[in-house]
Amino acid sequence: MNTTTASTPSLPINQSDCQEVKVPVSLFFTIGVVSLAENLLVLVAVICNRNLHSPMYCFICSLAAFNTIASLSKTWENLMLVFIDVGHLDQKGSSEKRMDDLMDSLLCMSFIGSIFSFLAIAADRYITIFHALRYHSIMTMRRTAAILGIIWATCGVSAVLMVRFFDFTFIMICFIVLFLVSLALIGSLYMYMFMLARMHARKITALQGSGSDGRHQQGGRNMRGVLTLTILFGAFMVCWAPFAFHLIIIMTCTTNPYCECYRSLFQLHVVLLMSHALIDPAIYAYRSAELRHTFRKMLACSDWRQCCM
């Protein structure tokens, strides 16, 4: 909003001079296609490399799958908008409405699934660092599969309910509360892990004698793992928080011109949202030497069946 209108007291509260920011459709398609390719590469890499068959990478695969869903849903939704603009689809048609609800459900599913995947990854990392001797008895692959099944079932049901009853204030409140509570839980767990990891690192540094080098290297790996998850969580916050705040604005601020100005940036918020699926695989590749090696092997291999052997 420009300063002249903002300072005019006679401006009606339900009007705004902020024009909606338009993002080229080509940008949406570019981000969607690239992020889709990246996340599929992560999924195939984890499946092909037996060294990555562990609970943590299963949860990372789940996060990549939810990112893939987000990329697909937003790319398809923008494709539908292009067809509507050229007159090949009826914006008010029943089939188009059902397709739009499906796309919104998948997007909500991706949003909720990303949060739950981060919670699972954080919990797995906590057990890895501070209960290392009992890790394999606690985090078995069967238990990991059960956790993933619960996550996907919960996200699927929640997404359908949220889109079906989104006009109800209670549903919107539940959506926002879930987001805020999950962020608080993840943030608290990361802070707690950092504090304990630093305490362990100091104790290891103070130790003398044989074996201290190995414990020091293990402490360094633990801190590196926590740092990687913190970077992933930070990227999630930056990319998804504006969209979540947009939902809060829709629910609590319907007439204020400043809120209208924020809502005019919706397409930029969607670009950030889609960029999350683009950023995560780059973080995996940068922070994981095993994944980088697998990516290079896959990209240089002419026969993918041999690459997965």
Side-chain angles (χ1 to χ4, degrees):
M1 174 179 295
N2 62 42
T3 55
T4 58
T5 306
S7 61
T8 304
S10 60
L11 177 69
I13 60 173
N14 62 346
Q15 295 182 9
S16 170
D17 62 345
C18 294
Q19 299 296 319
E20 183 180 1
V21 177
K22 297 290 187 179
V23 175
V25 176
S26 59
L27 180 59
F28 284 116
F29 280 119
T30 301
I31 295 176
V33 171
V34 174
S35 61
L36 179 61
E38 287 184 347
N39 283 283
L40 287 177
L41 188 64
V42 171
L43 291 172
V44 175
V46 174
I47 293 173
C48 289
N49 190 341
R50 293 181 180 178
N51 294 331
L52 301 178
H53 291 182
S54 65
M56 187 186 73
Y57 280 103
C58 287
F59 295 134
I60 287 178
C61 264
S62 176
L63 181 59
F66 283 120
N67 285 338
T68 301
I69 291 173
S71 300
L72 281 173
S73 61
K74 291 310 298 180
T75 301
W76 181 253
E77 187 175 54
N78 282 283
L79 186 62
M80 288 179 60
L81 292 175
V82 171
F83 287 149
I84 289 173
D85 289 340
V86 298
H88 291 301
L89 286 177
D90 181 8
Q91 189 171 7
K92 297 181 180 179
S94 58
S95 60
E96 286 79 8
K97 181 64 169 61
R98 287 194 296 270
M99 183 62 68
D100 185 61
D101 288 344
L102 175 61
M103 295 300 104
D104 289 340
S105 298
L106 291 176
L107 187 62
C108 289
M109 182 178 180
S110 173
F111 178 73
I112 301 171
S114 295
I115 294 177
F116 285 171
S117 294
F118 277 117
L119 281 171
I121 293 172
D124 176 82
R125 180 53 52 179
Y126 175 83
I127 297 171
T128 302
I129 295 175
F130 303 110
H131 300 280
L133 296 179
R134 297 192 298 123
Y135 175 78
H136 293 291
S137 61
I138 297 174
M139 290 302 299
T140 62
M141 292 303 293
R142 177 177 296 181
R143 191 165 294 172
T144 300
I147 293 172
L148 289 175
I150 293 172
I151 289 176
W152 280 83
T154 302
C155 292
V157 173
S158 300
V160 171
L161 291 176
M162 284 183 176
V163 172
R164 177 66 180 82
F165 302 103
F166 194 74
D167 291 335
F168 292 83
T169 303
F170 175 75
I171 294 297
M172 297 183 70
I173 292 175
C174 290
F175 190 84
I176 299 302
V177 169
L178 171 66
F179 179 69
L180 296 177
V181 170
S182 299
L183 292 186
L185 286 174
I186 297 172
S188 300
L189 187 57
Y190 282 162
M191 289 180 62
Y192 184 61
M193 283 194 293
F194 260 121
M195 291 173 58
L196 289 182
R198 288 187 64 183
M199 291 175 58
H200 284 200
R202 289 174 180 174
K203 291 180 180 179
I204 290 171
T205 302
L207 290 176
Q208 300 294 330
S210 61
S212 62
D213 290 341
R215 287 192 293 269
H216 182 72
Q217 291 175 0
Q218 180 64 33
R221 286 193 295 269
N222 290 340
M223 284 296 294
R224 183 178 176 84
V226 174
L227 181 59
T228 300
L229 296 181
T230 304
I231 295 173
L232 287 170
F233 180 61
F236 175 81
M237 281 288 295
V238 170
C239 294
W240 279 91
F243 179 77
F245 188 64
H246 183 92
L247 298 180
I248 297 176
I249 290 293
I250 292 176
M251 182 175 61
T252 62
C253 183
T254 58
T255 58
N256 189 287
Y258 291 100
C259 296
E260 286 293 328
C261 280
Y262 188 83
R263 284 197 290 269
S264 70
L265 303 175
F266 177 71
Q267 290 197 13
L268 291 180
H269 302 158
V270 176
V271 169
L272 274 176
L273 181 151
M274 294 180 67
S275 297
H276 177 247
L278 190 71
I279 294 171
D280 272 0
I283 297 175
Y284 304 148
Y286 178 73
R287 302 293 298 180
S288 173
E290 188 69 35
L291 264 180
R292 288 199 304 272
H293 172 74
T294 306
F295 289 157
R296 286 195 296 265
K297 180 180 177 181
M298 289 170 57
L299 294 174
C301 186
S302 58
D303 187 348
W304 281 51
R305 288 175 297 181
Q306 292 183 354
C307 294
C308 290
M309 292 179 61

